[in-house]
Amino acid sequence: MASEELQKDLEEVKVLLEKATRKRIRDALTAEKSKIETEIKNKMQQKSQKKAELPDNEKPAAVVAPITTGYTVKISNYGWDQSDKFEKIYITLTGVHQVPTENVQVHFTERSFDLLVKSLNGKSYSMIVNNLLKPISVEGSSKKVKTDTVLILCRKKVENTRWDYLTQVEKECKEKEKPSYDTETDPSEGLMNVLKKIYEDVDDDMKQTTNKAWVESREKQAKGDAEF
């Protein structure tokens, strides 16, 4: 996988990690984050080794990079909304409306977009969102710069469809947190499956408390049936 794609994946994982609240999900995302960071580091080392092995007459001539100020800040906080035609992503950046129009750049693909804001208060700001929940129209998508806000408009490829999540990854994380019910079995069995899942996730003390409550409940139920 190219370093650029790995970097995009890393940014996506960081965004999800900030939003995740469940320990199991956070642990999985943290492990994936470490894995991607290791891959990026290995690729950079491989590139450095290849450059070092080149003979002097094959090494590329030095290129003078343009002078830039500040550094790049990764954007992780944003809000989003939707209409029948658009997914709307709101990014708050103080003073963004004062920078030249060409300093605010957005690149769209059918399932992603990336934003770059250059030279804002001595810094650059970037945001990369991959694996959008559904395809968008690249030609129909655009951006608007308002007071202290960048509005990204992703044109839905299929209009009048509702997106419950912005990205596929966010959907998968949320669905893993939902208890699974089997509608074709007895309702009580579905409840037992949920209780079993909760039981597996708690500590030993809580298991003992749960067991005691369960036994007492069964005893009361048996006593009630006998009296009836």
Side-chain angles (χ1 to χ4, degrees), residues 63-100:
V63 177
V64 178
I67 298 175
T68 58
T69 58
Y71 54 93
T72 300
V73 178
K74 302 297 183 182
I75 300 171
S76 57
N77 295 324
Y78 62 90
W80 70 281
D81 194 4
Q82 62 183 304
S83 63
D84 291 340
K85 296 181 179 180
F86 291 96
E87 287 297 313
K88 305 174 183 179
I89 297 90
Y90 300 85
I91 300 101
T92 301
L93 291 172
T94 303
V96 69
H97 57 288
Q98 297 175 340
V99 303

Side-chain angles (χ1 to χ4, degrees), residues 1 3-19 29 32-37 40 72-78 112-115 124-131 167 169:
M1 185 182 292
S3 298
E4 182 179 354
E5 290 300 315
L6 285 172
Q7 190 64 42
K8 289 181 179 180
D9 290 347
L10 178 60
E11 296 304 323
E12 182 81 10
V13 170
K14 286 181 178 179
V15 171
L16 292 172
L17 187 57
E18 289 186 1
K19 295 185 175 182
L29 290 171
E32 184 63 21
K33 175 174 171 288
S34 298
K35 179 182 175 183
I36 295 172
E37 288 174 340
I40 293 174
T72 300
V73 178
K74 302 297 183 182
I75 300 171
S76 57
N77 295 324
Y78 62 90
S112 70
F113 68 84
D114 59 85
L115 165 70
S124 293
Y125 294 80
S126 72
M127 175 181 177
I128 301 172
V129 176
N130 293 314
N131 301 316
T167 67
V169 176

Side-chain angles (χ1 to χ4, degrees), residues 36-179:
I36 295 172
E37 288 174 340
T38 300
E39 288 187 47
I40 293 174
K41 182 178 178 181
N42 290 339
K43 284 188 177 291
M44 292 179 66
Q45 289 177 346
Q46 290 174 3
K47 287 183 178 181
S48 298
Q49 290 174 356
K50 287 181 180 179
K51 289 181 179 180
E53 291 170 359
L54 285 174
D56 290 339
N57 59 346
E58 293 184 14
K59 289 183 180 179
V63 177
V64 178
I67 298 175
T68 58
T69 58
Y71 54 93
T72 300
V73 178
K74 302 297 183 182
I75 300 171
S76 57
N77 295 324
Y78 62 90
W80 70 281
D81 194 4
Q82 62 183 304
S83 63
D84 291 340
K85 296 181 179 180
F86 291 96
E87 287 297 313
K88 305 174 183 179
I89 297 90
Y90 300 85
I91 300 101
T92 301
L93 291 172
T94 303
V96 69
H97 57 288
Q98 297 175 340
V99 303
T101 304
E102 61 270 17
N103 283 20
V104 182
Q105 303 170 0
V106 183
H107 174 69
F108 297 96
T109 71
E110 193 175 69
R111 296 296 289 269
S112 70
F113 68 84
D114 59 85
L115 165 70
L116 176 63
V117 179
K118 298 187 292 185
S119 300
L120 173 59
N121 300 323
K123 305 173 187 175
S124 293
Y125 294 80
S126 72
M127 175 181 177
I128 301 172
V129 176
N130 293 314
N131 301 316
L132 291 170
L133 185 66
K134 297 178 183 180
I136 62 173
S137 168
V138 175
E139 296 78 12
S141 298
S142 61
K143 71 171 190 308
K144 290 184 179 180
V145 178
K146 300 183 177 182
T147 303
D148 298 330
T149 302
V150 177
L151 170 60
I152 297 177
L153 298 165
C154 295
R155 181 70 178 255
K156 296 178 179 178
K157 206 157 194 179
V158 180
E159 296 181 3
N160 299 310
T161 57
R162 178 174 177 78
W163 292 26
D164 293 325
Y165 307 95
L166 184 61
T167 67
Q168 185 67 31
V169 176
E170 183 181 350
K171 176 187 176 183
E172 292 172 358
C173 287
K174 292 293 184 181
E175 288 183 345
K176 286 180 181 178
E177 297 179 11
K178 293 181 181 178

